[in-house]
Amino acid sequence: MIYRKKYIDEIHNFYDSDLIKIITGVRRCGKSVVLEQIRDELLSKTNNVLYLDFDDRAITSNIQKWEDIIEYVKENRKDGPCYVLLDEIQEIDDWQYACRSLRRENCSVFITGSNSKLLSKEFTDRLSGRYVSFRIRPFIYNEVQEYAKELKKSVTVTDYLIWGGFPKRLEFNNEKDLRRYLNDLNETIVVNDIVKRYQIKKVQEFKKVADFILISNSRKYSANSIYRIMKGQGIDCSSNTIQKWVSYIEEAFVIDEISKYSKKAKRKLEQAKKVYNCDVSLNSLRVNDGKYDLTHNLENIVYNELLFRNYKLTVYDNNGREIDFLAEKDNKKYYIQVAYSVLDKKTYDREFSAFNNLSQLDTKIIITNDDIDYSTSNVKHIKLKDFLISGIE
């Protein structure tokens, strides 16, 4: 498995902090692998490292209670600062008491866990601010290429636009097996991590809402619009319930919502939001006719890549013309439009006109899958593959 340097570097600054390090993210994005890589890095510097994987009960069968974790650490640690890494910690009831106790005993504690239990509000409340969390995401394009090279495979940009970056999906050699794996993963996320966690009674109705949200990536949504669609299908479900369900999907790290920023109002408009999937495969799984939504998946991938590169993102309202992203980092602003292609004149005019009336000093970028360079004196065109490899700078 590839070394995920970005995440390790972010966590590295907290190795010796007494804050509990919580590694979060959607299921199967690689949280446990990151924890193992932290363990290996720590072991290269000290032998006072303890690692417990509670998903492997053959190894941890003697640890049944949170007190057993403390006893295990006392019996196996050495003198001095000790690093304790606990994978899938939710398998132990009241695990937070062990974490809180260990941090007072000169232990630096790292944990991961299933989204169905870990990092829900009740657990973070119990830690009372004594933690710092790090979100791991599925592979971006460069990581996909690195892992594919390790597997002696090749992955095209189009393949990435359809099937995204869940790490294990790259290990399958045909679409049938790949789909089976992703469908099982999708079912686990929706049912185990959300339905069971929040004890949702109207399971089929919830699945319909989840399907609608996940196939609507890179678009605005409203609970009222989903309500009207479901009502038209004879499904009784209030808009308040729908909004609550969408919030559960977001809490499980399956989607992100971003706000619109209005130049005129100079503030974020919280009522206007767009939704993006953690991975575009969650859209493609819901396509039955093979007509994959490459246009919206492309924008979603740009969103994921910009987040990975630590840009703060909002949708920008340029006097009624929507710009896909206002990306901000290091006191710099970038106005970014995304389109699959601007070969068609009508599309070209629509996408480029979104930048009208912006200052000449503003950095304006359009990202497309075209091979032709459409840069102008005012707008920089970046080809998708170049962006995926090198970013916008």
Side-chain angles (χ1 to χ4, degrees):
M1 179 58 72
I2 66 171
Y3 180 71
R4 304 197 75 180
K5 184 177 186 304
K6 169 196 162 60
Y7 301 114
I8 304 296
D9 286 351
E10 289 177 353
I11 302 169
H12 189 274
N13 293 331
F14 293 86
Y15 276 12
D16 296 310
S17 169
D18 67 347
L19 294 172
I20 298 162
K21 278 68 70 177
I22 306 180
I23 298 174
T24 69
V26 70
R27 188 181 287 272
R28 298 292 175 250
C29 67
K31 299 186 293 294
S32 294
V33 170
V34 169
L35 191 67
E36 290 169 3
Q37 292 174 348
I38 292 171
R39 175 200 61 191
D40 294 343
E41 183 173 296
L42 289 169
L43 284 170
S44 69
K45 301 173 183 178
T46 176
N47 62 355
N48 205 3
V49 179
L50 300 175
Y51 179 91
L52 291 172
D53 179 3
F54 292 98
D55 207 26
D56 188 349
R57 298 306 283 164
I59 295 175
T60 58
S61 58
N62 292 329
I63 300 177
Q64 301 294 333
K65 302 176 295 185
W66 67 267
E67 293 94 340
D68 296 337
I69 299 176
I70 296 173
E71 191 62 29
Y72 175 88
V73 172
K74 285 182 179 179
E75 291 178 356
N76 291 278
R77 68 177 296 178
K78 297 173 176 60
D79 292 336
C82 180
Y83 301 92
V84 180
L85 294 80
L86 307 171
D87 197 9
E88 299 294 340
I89 187 62
Q90 81 286 341
E91 297 299 327
I92 304 298
D93 290 339
D94 296 326
W95 56 267
Q96 67 274 9
Y97 297 127
C99 293
R100 289 165 63 178
S101 178
L102 289 171
R103 65 183 289 274
R104 292 192 293 266
E105 300 296 330
N106 201 16
C107 292
S108 179
V109 181
F110 303 74
I111 62 175
T112 74
S114 166
N115 294 323
S116 61
K117 294 184 179 179
L118 188 61
L119 211 66
S120 61
K121 289 183 177 61
E122 64 180 277
F123 283 103
T124 53
D125 286 347
R126 292 184 190 183
L127 290 175
S128 304
R130 299 183 180 93
Y131 68 92
V132 58
S133 64
F134 303 90
R135 180 173 173 182
I136 311 301
R137 294 176 179 271
F139 285 165
I140 61 162
Y141 181 76
N142 282 336
E143 291 178 310
V144 165
Q145 292 302 313
E146 186 179 353
Y147 191 40
K149 184 177 180 180
E150 188 176 295
L151 297 173
K152 295 181 171 54
K153 294 183 176 182
S154 61
V155 177
T156 65
V157 171
T158 300
D159 177 90
Y160 179 55
L161 281 172
I162 296 172
W163 298 119
F166 278 114
K168 193 170 182 64
R169 76 92 172 167
L170 294 162
E171 299 174 13
F172 296 98
N173 294 319
N174 59 70
E175 185 175 321
K176 181 181 178 181
D177 292 340
L178 182 153
R179 273 186 169 273
R180 177 175 294 174
Y181 167 73
L182 290 173
N183 274 314
D184 288 346
L185 175 58
N186 173 79
E187 185 71 10
T188 300
I189 291 170
V190 172
V191 176
N192 288 0
D193 290 352
I194 303 178
V195 170
K196 290 183 179 179
R197 173 65 186 84
Y198 295 102
Q199 299 180 346
I200 296 172
K201 304 300 183 185
K202 295 183 176 181
V203 177
Q204 294 308 313
E205 291 85 347
F206 171 76
K207 285 184 175 182
K208 284 184 177 293
V209 171
D211 287 344
F212 184 90
I213 286 292
L214 291 169
I215 207 166
S216 300
N217 58 323
S218 307
R219 279 158 281 201
K220 297 175 187 175
Y221 88 93
S222 74
N224 285 333
S225 64
I226 301 175
Y227 164 75
R228 289 191 294 270
I229 292 171
M230 294 181 71
K231 185 177 180 180
Q233 297 174 353
I235 301 171
D236 182 23
C237 194
S238 73
S239 59
N240 286 338
T241 296
I242 291 169
Q243 186 61 62
K244 182 171 63 176
W245 288 348
V246 173
S247 73
Y248 293 163
I249 297 170
E250 185 174 18
E251 286 173 13
F253 308 106
V254 180
I255 60 169
D256 294 330
E257 294 179 341
I258 66 171
S259 303
K260 179 182 285 188
Y261 183 91
S262 170
K263 181 179 179 181
K264 183 176 180 180
K266 294 185 178 180
R267 62 184 177 87
K268 289 181 181 178
L269 302 176
E270 297 298 339
Q271 72 274 19
K273 293 185 177 181
K274 290 176 75 174
V275 63
Y276 293 92
N277 294 346
C278 68
D279 190 81
V280 295
S281 65
L282 297 173
N283 174 301
S284 298
L285 282 176
R286 289 166 168 81
V287 174
N288 296 317
D289 56 6
K291 296 178 181 178
Y292 298 111
D293 191 356
L294 299 184
T295 298
H296 290 100
N297 281 2
L298 191 154
E299 182 180 330
N300 202 142
I301 277 175
V302 170
Y303 169 82
N304 289 338
E305 295 273 340
L306 289 170
L307 272 189
F308 182 87
R309 297 172 189 271
N310 297 321
Y311 289 92
K312 177 186 175 184
L313 301 175
T314 50
V315 181
Y316 191 76
D317 181 359
N318 183 22
N319 296 319
R321 285 192 171 104
E322 184 179 289
I323 295 176
D324 293 321
F325 302 113
L326 168 59
E328 301 176 82
K329 186 172 74 170
D330 300 331
N331 296 316
K332 296 180 181 178
K333 293 183 177 181
Y334 305 86
Y335 297 87
I336 302 172
Q337 277 290 86
V338 183
Y340 190 79
S341 172
V342 290
L343 178 62
D344 176 74
K345 185 179 185 305
K346 185 177 179 180
T347 305
Y348 177 97
D349 291 342
R350 182 185 69 244
E351 299 297 336
F352 277 80
S353 67
F355 298 117
N356 289 352
N357 302 319
L358 290 179
S359 168
Q360 293 292 321
L361 300 177
D362 292 329
T363 301
K364 298 173 280 292
I365 296 169
I366 187 162
I367 300 171
T368 81
N369 200 37
D370 296 304
D371 289 327
I372 301 170
D373 185 355
Y374 287 99
S375 297
T376 70
S377 59
N378 197 32
V379 179
K380 178 183 180 181
H381 174 230
I382 302 178
K383 300 172 186 177
L384 176 62
K385 189 168 186 178
D386 293 338
F387 164 75
L388 294 175
I389 294 171
S390 304
I392 60 176
E393 299 184 66

